[in-house]
Amino acid sequence: GENVEQHPSTLSVQEGDSAVIKCTYSDSASNYFPWYKQELGKGPQLIIDIRSNVGEKKDQRIAVTLNKTAKHFSLHITETQPEDSAVYFCAARRTGNQFYFGTGTSLTVIP
Amino acid sequence: GAVVSQHPSWVICKSGTSVKIECRSLDFQATTMFWYRQFPKQSLMLMATSNEGSKATYEQGVEKDKFLINHASLTLSTLTVTSAHPEDSSFYICSATPPSGRYNEQFFGPGTRLTVL
Protein backbone atom coordinates (compact mmCIF):
# COMPACT_ATOMS: atom_id res chain seq x y z
CA GLY A 1 0.00 0.00 0.00
CA GLU A 2 0.84 3.66 0.01
CA ASN A 3 3.22 5.15 2.57
CA VAL A 4 3.08 8.88 3.19
CA GLU A 5 5.77 10.60 5.23
CA GLN A 6 5.43 14.16 6.46
CA HIS A 7 8.03 16.59 7.81
CA PRO A 8 8.49 18.41 10.05
CA SER A 9 6.30 17.16 12.87
CA THR A 10 6.37 20.59 14.53
CA LEU A 11 7.05 24.00 13.05
CA SER A 12 7.17 27.42 14.65
CA VAL A 13 7.37 30.60 12.60
CA GLN A 14 7.09 34.30 13.29
CA GLU A 15 3.96 36.00 12.11
CA GLY A 16 4.45 37.18 8.56
CA ASP A 17 7.06 34.57 7.71
CA SER A 18 6.49 31.62 5.39
CA ALA A 19 5.91 28.01 6.42
CA VAL A 20 6.70 24.95 4.32
CA ILE A 21 5.58 21.40 5.04
CA LYS A 22 6.79 18.50 2.93
CA CYS A 23 5.37 15.07 2.19
CA THR A 24 6.67 12.12 0.26
CA TYR A 25 4.68 9.19 -1.04
CA SER A 26 5.64 5.75 -2.27
CA ASP A 27 2.94 4.69 -4.73
CA SER A 28 3.56 6.15 -8.17
CA ALA A 29 -0.10 5.46 -9.03
CA SER A 30 -1.31 8.02 -6.48
CA ASN A 31 -2.95 10.84 -8.38
CA TYR A 32 -4.64 13.14 -5.88
CA PHE A 33 -2.96 15.02 -3.05
CA PRO A 34 -5.07 17.05 -0.62
CA TRP A 35 -3.94 19.06 2.38
CA TYR A 36 -6.07 19.34 5.48
CA LYS A 37 -6.01 21.76 8.40
CA GLN A 38 -7.21 20.46 11.73
CA GLU A 39 -7.89 22.74 14.65
CA LEU A 40 -8.02 21.40 18.18
CA GLY A 41 -11.11 19.29 18.78
CA LYS A 42 -12.36 19.60 15.22
CA GLY A 43 -12.38 17.50 12.09
CA PRO A 44 -9.92 18.11 9.26
CA GLN A 45 -10.81 20.80 6.74
CA LEU A 46 -9.62 20.65 3.15
CA ILE A 47 -7.53 23.73 2.38
CA ILE A 48 -6.00 22.93 -0.98
CA ASP A 49 -5.47 19.96 -3.24
CA ILE A 50 -3.58 19.06 -6.39
CA ARG A 51 -3.87 16.39 -9.03
CA SER A 52 -0.97 14.53 -10.55
CA ASN A 53 -1.29 16.30 -13.90
CA VAL A 54 -0.52 19.66 -12.30
CA GLY A 55 2.79 20.83 -10.86
CA GLU A 56 1.62 23.76 -8.77
CA LYS A 57 -1.57 25.29 -7.47
CA LYS A 58 -2.10 28.48 -5.54
CA ASP A 59 -4.98 29.89 -3.55
CA GLN A 60 -4.23 33.28 -1.99
CA ARG A 61 -1.59 32.68 0.71
CA ILE A 62 -1.55 28.92 0.26
CA ALA A 63 0.20 26.98 -2.47
CA VAL A 64 0.99 23.36 -3.14
CA THR A 65 3.73 22.00 -5.38
CA LEU A 66 4.03 18.47 -6.70
CA ASN A 67 7.07 16.67 -8.06
CA LYS A 68 5.84 13.40 -9.53
CA THR A 69 9.29 12.18 -10.44
CA ALA A 70 10.58 12.54 -6.91
CA LYS A 71 7.20 11.63 -5.44
CA HIS A 72 6.96 14.53 -3.08
CA PHE A 73 4.63 17.45 -2.60
CA SER A 74 4.77 20.49 -0.38
CA LEU A 75 2.46 22.99 1.26
CA HIS A 76 3.55 26.60 1.30
CA ILE A 77 1.88 29.21 3.49
CA THR A 78 3.03 32.78 3.02
CA GLU A 79 2.49 35.78 5.28
CA THR A 80 1.50 33.51 8.12
CA GLN A 81 -1.03 34.70 10.68
CA PRO A 82 -1.77 33.43 14.20
CA GLU A 83 -4.99 31.85 12.94
CA ASP A 84 -2.91 29.61 10.69
CA SER A 85 -1.78 27.79 13.84
CA ALA A 86 -3.16 24.25 13.61
CA VAL A 87 -2.17 20.72 12.67
CA TYR A 88 -1.78 20.14 8.95
CA PHE A 89 -2.08 16.75 7.29
CA CYS A 90 -1.12 15.77 3.80
CA ALA A 91 -2.73 12.81 2.06
CA ALA A 92 -2.30 10.77 -1.08
CA ARG A 93 -4.87 8.83 -2.97
CA ARG A 94 -4.92 6.55 -5.96
CA THR A 95 -8.09 5.62 -7.77
CA GLY A 96 -10.38 3.85 -5.34
CA ASN A 97 -11.15 6.43 -2.66
CA GLN A 98 -8.87 5.30 0.15
CA PHE A 99 -6.76 8.16 1.45
CA TYR A 100 -3.39 7.67 3.09
CA PHE A 101 -2.52 10.40 5.55
CA GLY A 102 0.78 11.78 6.68
CA THR A 103 1.61 11.98 10.36
CA GLY A 104 0.75 15.66 10.69
CA THR A 105 2.61 18.88 11.31
CA SER A 106 1.78 21.10 14.25
CA LEU A 107 2.26 24.67 13.06
CA THR A 108 2.56 27.50 15.55
CA VAL A 109 2.60 31.09 14.32
CA ILE A 110 4.12 33.36 16.93
CA PRO A 111 2.60 36.86 17.03
CA GLY B 1 -21.86 22.88 0.18
CA ALA B 2 -20.44 19.48 1.13
CA VAL B 3 -21.15 19.62 4.85
CA VAL B 4 -20.78 16.55 7.04
CA SER B 5 -22.14 16.49 10.57
CA GLN B 6 -21.55 14.15 13.46
CA HIS B 7 -23.60 13.52 16.54
CA PRO B 8 -22.85 13.61 19.36
CA SER B 9 -19.80 15.87 19.42
CA TRP B 10 -18.73 14.28 22.67
CA VAL B 11 -19.91 11.43 24.84
CA ILE B 12 -18.88 9.98 28.18
CA CYS B 13 -20.02 6.48 29.04
CA LYS B 14 -19.39 3.74 31.52
CA SER B 15 -17.34 0.71 30.66
CA GLY B 16 -19.47 -2.06 29.16
CA THR B 17 -22.07 0.17 27.57
CA SER B 18 -22.57 0.72 23.84
CA VAL B 19 -22.33 4.06 22.13
CA LYS B 20 -23.72 5.05 18.74
CA ILE B 21 -22.20 7.84 16.67
CA GLU B 22 -24.03 9.27 13.68
CA CYS B 23 -22.47 10.72 10.55
CA ARG B 24 -24.66 12.65 8.14
CA SER B 25 -23.99 14.30 4.81
CA LEU B 26 -26.21 17.37 4.94
CA ASP B 27 -26.27 18.63 1.36
CA PHE B 28 -25.17 15.74 -0.78
CA GLN B 29 -25.66 12.03 -1.11
CA ALA B 30 -22.72 9.95 -0.03
CA THR B 31 -22.38 6.49 -1.50
CA THR B 32 -19.22 6.02 0.51
CA MET B 33 -18.41 7.10 4.04
CA PHE B 34 -15.27 6.47 6.01
CA TRP B 35 -14.69 6.11 9.73
CA TYR B 36 -11.40 7.16 11.27
CA ARG B 37 -9.96 7.02 14.71
CA GLN B 38 -7.48 9.57 15.95
CA PHE B 39 -5.36 9.41 19.09
CA PRO B 40 -3.95 12.59 20.62
CA LYS B 41 -1.26 14.17 18.47
CA GLN B 42 -1.46 11.38 15.95
CA SER B 43 -2.70 11.00 12.42
CA LEU B 44 -6.04 9.63 11.27
CA MET B 45 -6.30 5.87 11.25
CA LEU B 46 -8.83 4.47 8.80
CA MET B 47 -11.09 1.99 10.57
CA ALA B 48 -13.58 1.06 7.87
CA THR B 49 -15.17 2.03 4.60
CA SER B 50 -18.94 2.16 4.64
CA ASN B 51 -20.91 1.71 1.42
CA GLU B 52 -24.61 2.43 1.29
CA GLY B 53 -26.65 -0.75 1.27
CA SER B 54 -23.79 -3.14 1.77
CA LYS B 55 -21.51 -4.36 4.51
CA ALA B 56 -18.66 -2.20 5.64
CA THR B 57 -15.09 -3.05 4.75
CA TYR B 58 -12.89 -3.07 7.82
CA GLU B 59 -9.18 -2.37 7.92
CA GLN B 60 -6.85 -5.00 9.22
CA GLY B 61 -6.83 -5.12 12.98
CA VAL B 62 -10.22 -3.45 13.45
CA GLU B 63 -12.75 -5.68 15.17
CA LYS B 64 -15.96 -5.67 13.16
CA ASP B 65 -17.96 -7.03 16.08
CA LYS B 66 -16.65 -4.25 18.28
CA PHE B 67 -17.21 -1.42 15.86
CA LEU B 68 -20.53 -1.96 14.12
CA ILE B 69 -21.11 0.19 11.05
CA ASN B 70 -24.43 0.69 9.33
CA HIS B 71 -24.88 2.78 6.18
CA ALA B 72 -28.64 2.56 5.78
CA SER B 73 -29.14 5.57 3.55
CA LEU B 74 -27.19 7.83 1.23
CA THR B 75 -26.95 10.48 3.94
CA LEU B 76 -26.42 8.52 7.14
CA SER B 77 -23.83 6.13 8.49
CA THR B 78 -23.61 5.05 12.10
CA LEU B 79 -20.74 3.66 14.13
CA THR B 80 -21.65 1.72 17.26
CA VAL B 81 -18.91 0.98 19.74
CA THR B 82 -20.15 -2.10 21.53
CA SER B 83 -19.24 -2.96 25.11
CA ALA B 84 -16.95 0.04 25.26
CA HIS B 85 -13.81 -0.05 27.40
CA PRO B 86 -11.40 2.72 28.42
CA GLU B 87 -9.02 1.77 25.60
CA ASP B 88 -11.78 2.68 23.13
CA SER B 89 -11.59 6.29 24.28
CA SER B 90 -10.57 8.31 21.26
CA PHE B 91 -11.61 10.91 18.73
CA TYR B 92 -13.76 9.35 16.02
CA ILE B 93 -14.12 11.16 12.71
CA CYS B 94 -16.21 10.30 9.70
CA SER B 95 -15.86 11.52 6.16
CA ALA B 96 -18.02 11.28 3.08
CA THR B 97 -17.42 11.23 -0.64
CA PRO B 98 -20.03 12.50 -3.08
CA PRO B 99 -20.85 10.09 -5.92
CA SER B 100 -19.27 12.32 -8.53
CA GLY B 101 -17.20 14.55 -6.33
CA ARG B 102 -14.40 16.52 -7.79
CA TYR B 103 -11.42 14.19 -7.70
CA ASN B 104 -13.41 12.17 -5.17
CA GLU B 105 -12.76 14.60 -2.38
CA GLN B 106 -13.46 13.56 1.16
CA PHE B 107 -15.36 15.91 3.42
CA PHE B 108 -14.84 15.39 7.11
CA GLY B 109 -17.22 15.68 10.00
CA PRO B 110 -16.27 17.63 13.13
CA GLY B 111 -15.49 14.48 15.08
CA THR B 112 -16.85 12.80 18.21
CA ARG B 113 -14.83 12.63 21.40
CA LEU B 114 -15.56 9.35 23.19
CA THR B 115 -14.47 8.92 26.79
CA VAL B 116 -15.09 5.57 28.44
CA LEU B 117 -14.83 5.58 32.23
Side-chain angles (χ1 to χ4, degrees):
Chain A
E2 174 67 278
N3 181 42
V4 179
E5 295 188 356
Q6 184 172 344
H7 298 280
S9 56
T10 60
L11 179 60
S12 292
V13 299
Q14 290 291 138
E15 182 177 359
D17 287 350
S18 295
V20 180
I21 303 170
K22 299 181 179 180
C23 286
T24 61
Y25 61 99
S26 60
D27 188 347
S28 58
S30 290
N31 57 13
Y32 175 60
F33 307 92
W35 284 90
Y36 291 89
K37 176 183 180 182
Q38 186 178 27
E39 297 177 339
L40 190 63
K42 298 183 179 181
Q45 295 292 314
L46 177 69
I47 57 171
I48 197 167
D49 55 12
I50 193 168
R51 287 205 79 187
S52 58
N53 59 351
V54 176
E56 182 175 358
K57 183 178 178 180
K58 188 174 182 180
D59 182 4
Q60 299 182 350
R61 298 186 296 109
I62 296 173
V64 56
T65 58
L66 171 65
N67 183 325
K68 282 196 304 180
T69 303
K71 289 189 281 191
H72 66 69
F73 55 111
S74 300
L75 176 71
H76 303 254
I77 306 174
T78 59
E79 301 173 29
T80 54
Q81 301 167 2
E83 51 264 38
D84 294 330
S85 297
V87 178
Y88 292 81
F89 291 98
C90 64
R93 192 220 67 161
R94 59 179 296 174
T95 303
N97 281 342
Q98 184 170 352
F99 281 47
Y100 294 88
F101 287 88
T103 48
T105 296
S106 177
L107 173 63
T108 301
V109 180
I110 304 167
Chain B
V3 178
V4 177
S5 71
Q6 276 183 247
H7 179 81
S9 56
W10 61 269
V11 56
I12 301 173
C13 69
K14 292 182 179 181
S15 184
T17 61
S18 294
V19 174
K20 179 185 285 188
I21 302 170
E22 292 186 348
C23 176
R24 292 182 185 273
S25 55
L26 298 185
D27 52 1
F28 65 98
Q29 293 183 329
T31 53
T32 304
M33 291 184 171
F34 302 88
W35 286 97
Y36 294 87
R37 184 173 181 177
Q38 187 178 35
F39 292 103
K41 298 185 179 180
Q42 293 191 24
S43 190
L44 289 78
M45 182 190 78
L46 179 66
M47 298 175 65
T49 301
S50 170
N51 294 297
E52 187 268 337
S54 63
K55 290 183 178 181
T57 302
Y58 290 82
E59 295 299 300
Q60 191 172 8
V62 178
E63 299 176 60
K64 61 179 68 175
D65 294 331
K66 174 78 169 173
F67 300 99
L68 301 178
I69 293 173
N70 185 293
H71 193 155
S73 76
L74 286 172
T75 60
L76 173 64
S77 177
T78 59
L79 167 67
T80 300
V81 183
T82 62
S83 187
H85 291 285
E87 57 265 30
D88 299 324
S89 299
S90 190
F91 194 51
Y92 292 88
I93 308 172
C94 71
S95 69
T97 298
S100 56
R102 185 175 68 91
Y103 310 142
N104 292 127
E105 293 175 342
Q106 283 195 28
F107 298 95
F108 286 85
T112 296
R113 173 75 57 193
L114 170 63
T115 302
V116 184
L117 302 178

